[in-house]
Structure formats: structure tokens, C-alpha cells
Amino acid sequence: MECKINDLYELQEALDDRIFEQHGVTRADTMTRRQLALLVEISELAKETRCFKFWSNKGPSAQDVILEEYADGVHFLLSLGIDLKDESESLSAMEIEGSKHEAFLMIYELANEFFKHCSLKSYHTLFEAYLGLGVKLGLHADMIREYYFKKNQKNHDRQNANY
């Protein structure tokens, strides 16, 4: 799966700039908090998939819930990519072997590598793995983009309401 992202950076940067201005912070001030937010959003996605809950017979949340959580991760990935001035047109999903829970563990590992190095290469590897996780969860590029647009609008609405 290939996912077009260059136009998403523009939307994310506009949202980020609005939030930074409204809350009196800067991109640099919030970098580590946005990194932590990415990890939290990945965890919330894992929680909704329930892929690690070997002790439970309950299935995953509805696909729209999973898509919204997935879009939250895209939100913070894009925000961190803006820090690196990434100008990629699109990224391709990494093929991920193994189970869903193993895929999540790999994402955490790649996120930590990215946080250590903050290089464009480690960022692309992380984002491509996240797209690969999306494939493993049954998502495709159009769904991911659609839910990113919805979540971006929801985040603007939240700022309008002094969230």
C-alpha cells in the first residue's frame, strides 16, 4: 500500500501552528510531549484492537473506532515529520511479518529508535511500519486519509471550543 502524505503535512502544520499559538508553546517546546503522545496513541490503538488480550474472548472495537485511533497516530507522525521538514510525496507500507501484537511491539521499538536519532531515515522507517500495521489491521490508504481528514477537522472543532 502506498499512501499520499504531502498534502497531509500542510493540514497538520496549520493545525499545529494554531494549537501552538493558542496555547503559547512552540514546536520545539512540545517535541518530547508529541513523541509521548504518539506512544500513547499507539497504545490506545492497541487497546481498541484487543490483539494482546489472550485472556479475553471479546473481539476488537468497531472499525470506525480503530480508524479514529489509527488517525490519531498519523496526526502525531505527521507533526513530528514537520520537525524534520519531510517533503515526501508518499510512503509505502512496510510488509510486517508475525502477529498484530508483535507488529505493535515493533512500532514501539522503531518509535524509540526515531526518538533517539531524529533522522529522516528513522522517521520514514517508523511511518512505513505504521502504514504496514494499518494493512495488518485491514486498512487501506483511502480509509486512512479519510479518517485523518475527519480527525483533523475534529481537532480544529475542539480548538474552537477551547478544548
Side-chain angles (χ1 to χ4, degrees):
M1 169 184 73
E2 187 167 322
C3 189
K4 183 180 171 203
I5 59 168
N6 64 325
D7 58 330
L8 302 183
Y9 281 123
E10 295 171 25
L11 292 172
Q12 188 61 49
E13 188 165 21
L15 177 62
D16 283 355
D17 289 347
R18 179 179 181 191
I19 292 170
F20 297 154
E21 184 177 327
Q22 276 187 242
H23 296 275
V25 295
T26 66
R27 185 169 290 286
D29 293 341
T30 62
M31 187 171 115
T32 57
R33 286 183 275 178
R34 287 181 287 124
Q35 290 173 340
L36 178 58
L38 174 62
L39 294 176
V40 169
E41 295 303 342
I42 293 166
S43 296
E44 288 178 2
L45 175 62
K47 180 180 176 239
E48 295 302 336
T49 69
R50 301 179 57 82
C51 65
F52 61 95
K53 293 194 172 194
F54 60 88
W55 60 88
S56 175
N57 292 322
K58 185 177 175 186
S61 294
Q63 189 176 46
D64 63 323
V65 173
I66 289 172
L67 271 160
E68 185 169 351
E69 292 300 339
Y70 187 89
D72 286 339
V74 172
H75 166 93
F76 286 105
L77 279 166
L78 291 167
S79 184
L80 293 165
I82 293 165
D83 295 348
L84 298 172
K85 303 192 181 348
D86 187 23
E87 296 180 0
S88 299
E89 289 287 319
S90 62
L91 291 172
S92 296
M94 178 188 294
E95 189 171 326
I96 297 179
E97 306 266 331
S99 67
K100 290 175 187 172
H101 78 271
E102 290 169 324
F104 276 102
L105 291 172
M106 183 181 79
I107 298 290
Y108 287 124
E109 190 175 314
L110 292 172
N112 284 317
E113 280 299 305
F114 167 60
F115 300 159
K116 273 192 249 175
H117 302 289
C118 286
S119 70
L120 204 51
K121 182 179 181 197
S122 61
Y123 170 73
H124 284 166
T125 301
L126 171 59
F127 208 144
E128 289 171 350
Y130 193 72
L131 292 173
L133 174 63
V135 170
K136 196 167 262 309
L137 297 175
L139 311 181
H140 57 76
D142 291 339
M143 296 164 88
I144 291 167
R145 287 176 54 81
E146 175 189 346
Y147 268 77
Y148 173 79
F149 292 134
K150 286 180 181 180
K151 191 61 183 218
N152 184 274
Q153 184 57 55
K154 185 175 185 176
N155 287 332
H156 275 288
D157 294 343
R158 285 175 168 171
Q159 292 306 305
N160 291 340
N162 292 318
Y163 178 72

